[in-house]
Amino acid sequence: MGEWSSRVIPIVRGLCLLYVTHKYLGTTVVTYGPSMLPTLGITGNVLLMERISTRTGKLRPGDVVFFRSPENPRRVVCKRLVGMEGDQVTYVVDPKNSYKCNTIVVPKGHVWVEGDNIYNTKDSRNFGAVPYGLVEGKAFWTLLPRRDFGSLAPKPK
Amino acid sequence: MGTPSVLWNVAKKCFTVGVISLTVSDLFASIVPVRGASMSPTFNPKTNSLLDSLSDDRVLVEKLCLRKYKFSHGDVIVFCSPDNHKEKHIKRIVGLPGDWVGTIYDVVHIPEGHCWVEGDNSASSLDSRSFGPVPLGLVKGRVTHILWPPHRVSSIERKTSRNRVSPS
């Protein structure tokens, strides 16, 4: 009994430590899709995500964040944070068809996210402000592709 | 030689226990106290502000439902408040995606990926009637049993109200 547990417990502890790191500190994420062009390519992006800024409330507009989609809780989505609660956000409602803009105030406890590629993205302009509880973490480093290695680009104006 | 290695062993054991129990409580089940009377009489049937928090019900919250986010009408769930991510609420699911739920003023369609929650004690419950449908991504677990106080130990049944909800 003692022998068995002295082998198994370190393995269980190691796996639990991996899980705790993944859930509370950070992890690597693979992204795909055109909604964050030109910052992130359609495929082949590996980013490092950290969860500490989310827990301590240190997210700022301009950060690239991951959050659970309000339309599908099993999907984690990557977009850029544009407004925190209380901010006033002006956005183009339908960039492909008109120049019409809308201005809203981000409700309490929510954030406003937009993809960098406004012509091909589903974001807060479609599903509204996202409750902060859905935000998983912030992307702070690009591992792949190699030419983008380093911190992420700020949103092009 | 003696004391530092004893302290190190104790620290290692505490770390092991802490990490394993954190993983188990996140992935399998945890025990949480229920505050407030919004789910009376299912939880906290006798609330009295003079009573201390030791008399609050403690319930078992299972996390296995978070693998597929598959819920049924009448499930009691724990979720983060849409207005304040630091607060958690316990309410019952009344509507699932695609349902039409009747409130006093109108009929609401539950969008994809959201649910409609209400407290069993309609008179004093802050729920979807105030903050609208709740995204399922905010759900943190499903309540299955009451574990404390001992005379109220039981499993939670699904209670549905057929007359207010029209399924998709």
Side-chain angles (χ1 to χ4, degrees), chain A residues 13 16 19 24 70 109-110 132, chain B residues 16 19 23 26 82-83 85 114 137:
Chain A
R13 180 178 62 209
C16 292
Y19 169 78
Y24 291 93
H110 290 65
Y132 193 91
Chain B
T16 306
V19 156
T23 306
D26 270 2
D83 296 331
H85 70 282
H114 290 66

Side-chain angles (χ1 to χ4, degrees), chain A residues 32-47:
Chain A
Y32 57 91
S35 62
M36 285 294 288
L37 286 168
T39 312
L40 301 177
I42 297 184
T43 55
N45 301 285
V46 178
L47 305 174

Side-chain angles (χ1 to χ4, degrees), chain A:
Chain A
M1 171 67 194
E3 249 241 19
W4 175 85
S5 71
S6 74
R7 283 181 210 281
V8 165
I9 288 189
I11 299 178
V12 169
R13 180 178 62 209
L15 290 175
C16 292
L17 187 58
L18 276 180
Y19 169 78
V20 168
T21 309
H22 164 90
K23 182 85 195 300
Y24 291 93
L25 293 180
T27 184
T28 48
V29 184
V30 178
T31 66
Y32 57 91
S35 62
M36 285 294 288
L37 286 168
T39 312
L40 301 177
I42 297 184
T43 55
N45 301 285
V46 178
L47 305 174
L48 284 177
M49 168 177 85
E50 53 98 350
R51 299 191 194 258
I52 302 182
S53 302
T54 331
R55 285 188 183 273
T56 56
K58 295 251 188 314
L59 291 180
R60 293 285 167 269
D63 289 345
V64 175
V65 295
F66 296 89
F67 57 95
R68 266 186 203 283
S69 166
E71 296 173 332
N72 182 355
R74 296 170 69 178
R75 271 191 67 200
V76 177
V77 174
C78 177
K79 297 282 177 282
R80 201 177 286 270
L81 192 65
V82 167
M84 305 292 294
E85 71 180 12
D87 288 352
Q88 212 173 27
V89 172
T90 306
Y91 61 95
V92 184
V93 179
D94 193 4
K96 284 198 255 202
N97 296 332
S98 78
Y99 290 112
K100 188 161 90 99
C101 285
N102 206 2
T103 305
I104 48 99
V105 174
V106 181
K108 180 169 181 299
H110 290 65
V111 292
W112 190 266
V113 293
E114 284 182 20
D116 285 353
N117 180 11
I118 55 170
Y119 298 101
N120 193 356
T121 175
K122 278 192 82 174
D123 50 30
S124 286
R125 291 169 306 146
N126 306 93
F127 45 68
V130 172
Y132 193 91
L134 291 178
V135 177
E136 296 270 315
K138 167 181 148 187
F140 69 100
W141 200 259
T142 308
L143 293 176
L144 291 175
R146 294 258 295 276
R147 63 169 188 273
D148 291 337
F149 187 88
S151 43
L152 280 93
K155 181 172 177 166
K157 286 279 173 251

